[in-house]
Amino acid sequence: MMKREHWGSRLGFILAAAGSAVGLGNIWKFPYMAGENGGGAFLLIYLALVFTIGLSVMLAEMVLGRMAEKNAIGAFAKLKGGAWPLIGFCGVAAAFIILSFYSVVAGWTISYMVKSVTGALAIEDPDQLGSLFGGFISDPVSPLIYHAIFMVLTVFVVLSGVGAGIERASKILMPALFALLLVLIVRSVTLPGAEAGITFLLSPDFSKVTWTTVSDALSQAFFSLSLGMGAMITYGSYLSKKENIASSAGWVTLLDTMVAVMSGLLILPAVFAFGFDPSAGPGLTFITLPAVFAQMPFGSFFAFLFFLLLAIAALTSAVSILEVVVAYFVDDRGISRKSASITVGVIIFLMGIPSSLSLGIMGDFTIFGMGFFDLMDFVSSKLLLPIGGLFISLFVGWVVWGKAKEDIALHNGIVPFWINAWGIIVKFIAPVAIAFILLKGLGVL
Ligand code: TRP
């Protein structure tokens, strides 16, 4: 058997995993979710969930991958078998679903990069920008072209391999992303009137908090940290035994959370400074922000940088989603990386078509009262990811706990002092809390 490929360096792995985590979830979704759910209150709940359940499941996934040196399905098959690989199958299914609509939104960001260059976005009136956005996403053709372009880029990175594709792209794109983020934050917080946005994000309004807020914060945490689907199992499977895996998990969690908070600091101050509504929902980044940019000096330039930032963040995330599927076909089905990447890429592109059309000509077609796009989002982030996280915790806590403890200590032979705290979380707290929040959020309890 061929030796499994390893990441070229510790930094390479951290950047690739952070690249997976940092994505549209942080920059597009987090600020509007905070905006809709009481600002600081949402932030506090989110942080509490990220650094307990999120960090623990992150470590659990990475350890599973490294122990098995296998993809999300193969890892469970190798370590235990039985019905356990079903968790991996759900993860692979979730990968198809998530990437299909994720790539549609990522395509919008590329189109908005183009629009900012051509001057099409230099409009100050948010109503007009609203119609522009509505007109664009409901168009039957144009968003599909950008969806295709984005999928081609994603496939290209994945078929180039783990080191030469994923790691190399992350090492170039992630520093670029941090630089862009810093430039844009400085621009945003120095606008006159920006303090109101900062105060909003940092001061909690608990009157807006319900069980739905908590369950939204949990699904957001899973989505943002790329958990519950086997992405971190897959990336962990390329880790060498010499790596301090717990510290890497900590770094990835921290970087992801920093970027979410920083995106809040980029978007909310600008929105407040120009007197817009922070709870504008998904349109916040595509409607409100262009209006903000249009009112600043060199606005088109900053708009371009912003949509470039979104596109880069989306690309490194999409790559990790596709890699979950490709790693399975390469490891367990003997298909070459190249054929697997291209074939799966085409299928996911096709699956994205109804998502995109559901925002336009297919708008009247609903399932359980949801359009296709919303349904895909709901099934994956509200159901598959939390359920995946629940069973991954149980598996690590109860089925392979002894081996997992050893694996964590491999790099220096010392079992860390917090190991039992982690044990309690993966054995009891995470499964119970996830199940409870899930059922509460669905209105079952
Ligand atoms: N975390 C990414 C974001 O915030 C999306 C993502 C990448 C993801 N890989 C994933 C979500 C795996 C769930 C599972 O945009």
Side-chain angles (χ1 to χ4, degrees):
M1 208 182 80
M2 229 174 74
K3 198 174 168 304
R4 196 171 189 77
E5 182 172 0
H6 284 162
W7 301 103
S9 67
R10 171 173 162 80
L11 182 69
F13 167 66
I14 292 179
L15 290 180
S20 166
V22 173
L24 296 173
N26 304 58
I27 308 174
W28 170 59
K29 226 170 169 189
F30 179 82
Y32 84 74
M33 291 193 80
E36 283 175 338
N37 288 295
F42 183 81
L43 181 62
L44 276 181
I45 297 170
Y46 179 79
L47 291 178
L49 290 170
V50 162
F51 286 101
T52 52
I53 299 178
L55 179 57
S56 302
V57 176
M58 170 84 68
L59 183 56
E61 286 206 21
M62 289 180 180
V63 168
L64 272 184
R66 182 165 80 167
M67 285 194 294
E69 299 199 285
K70 280 280 195 176
N71 64 85
I73 297 173
F76 290 101
K78 181 165 170 186
L79 296 172
K80 187 67 189 177
W84 288 106
L86 278 177
I87 305 171
F89 277 105
C90 285
V92 169
F96 276 98
I97 297 176
I98 294 180
L99 190 50
S100 71
F101 71 83
Y102 198 83
S103 167
V104 170
V105 180
W108 301 348
T109 70
I110 300 181
S111 149
Y112 268 62
M113 274 166 69
V114 175
K115 288 189 187 9
S116 53
V117 173
T118 61
L121 280 190
I123 302 172
E124 291 188 16
D125 175 12
D127 289 338
Q128 242 177 301
L129 282 161
S131 340
L132 180 79
F133 179 63
F136 168 66
I137 65 171
S138 59
D139 188 278
V141 182
S142 169
L144 293 179
I145 296 174
Y146 289 102
H147 165 45
I149 295 175
F150 184 78
M151 277 311 297
V152 168
L153 292 173
T154 307
V155 165
F156 176 73
V157 175
V158 172
L159 72 74
S160 305
V162 175
I166 302 176
E167 184 169 355
R168 189 145 65 128
S170 309
K171 280 180 140 171
I172 300 168
L173 296 175
M174 292 310 285
L177 182 144
F178 288 116
L180 285 173
L181 194 57
L182 282 179
V183 171
L184 289 162
I185 289 181
V186 170
R187 173 64 279 200
S188 180
V189 297
T190 53
L191 289 167
E195 311 82 55
I198 304 174
T199 317
F200 174 77
L201 185 63
L202 300 182
S203 54
D205 171 5
F206 281 101
S207 70
K208 290 233 169 55
V209 174
T210 60
W211 276 108
T212 319
T213 321
V214 182
S215 101
D216 283 354
L218 182 76
S219 43
Q220 173 65 12
F222 269 89
F223 189 86
S224 185
L225 294 168
S226 301
L227 299 177
M229 196 188 88
M232 294 299 166
I233 298 180
T234 309
Y235 275 18
S237 76
Y238 305 118
L239 266 176
S240 103
K241 307 285 181 198
K242 292 194 293 279
E243 212 66 77
N244 181 345
I245 196 169
S247 131
S248 298
W251 270 108
V252 174
T253 306
L254 189 69
L255 285 172
D256 184 67
T257 310
M258 273 170 53
V259 174
V261 175
M262 285 162 82
S263 306
L265 287 179
L266 151 61
I267 289 168
L268 295 169
V271 167
F272 273 84
F274 290 95
F276 290 113
D277 179 9
S279 59
L284 196 61
T285 34
F286 289 98
I287 300 170
T288 316
L289 266 198
V292 169
F293 289 128
Q295 296 182 28
M296 327 175 158
F298 307 108
S300 304
F301 174 66
F302 287 110
F304 176 77
L305 292 188
F306 176 73
F307 289 108
L308 176 65
L309 169 74
L310 270 176
I312 290 177
L315 182 60
T316 51
S317 298
V319 160
S320 75
I321 306 178
L322 183 59
E323 177 63 19
V324 170
V325 186
V326 168
Y328 167 67
F329 283 109
V330 172
D331 286 355
D332 293 358
R333 300 270 150 172
I335 298 176
S336 77
R337 175 167 281 276
K338 192 169 163 203
S339 335
S341 310
I342 295 175
T343 316
V344 174
V346 170
I347 296 174
I348 291 178
F349 168 73
L350 296 174
M351 286 172 63
I353 295 176
S355 273
S356 184
L357 296 183
S358 75
L359 303 171
I361 52 174
M362 262 175 66
D364 294 334
F365 174 73
T366 58
I367 308 166
F368 305 121
M370 282 178 265
F372 199 78
F373 185 101
D374 294 332
L375 182 73
M376 294 293 107
D377 185 16
F378 177 83
V379 169
S380 53
S381 6
K382 278 273 152 71
L383 301 176
L384 292 173
L385 298 182
I387 293 173
L390 194 162
F391 283 104
I392 288 168
S393 302
L394 289 176
F395 187 76
V396 169
W398 297 100
V399 182
V400 292
W401 177 242
K403 265 198 261 174
K405 269 201 313 202
E406 273 169 37
D407 191 90
I408 298 249
L410 273 179
H411 66 288
N412 63 0
I414 301 170
V415 178
F417 69 92
W418 44 260
I419 200 84
N420 290 325
W422 182 53
I424 291 171
I425 296 182
V426 290
K427 285 186 168 106
F428 306 103
I429 298 180
V432 172
I434 295 170
F436 183 73
I437 296 172
L438 206 73
L439 296 174
K440 269 286 187 196
L442 294 173
V444 181
L445 279 185

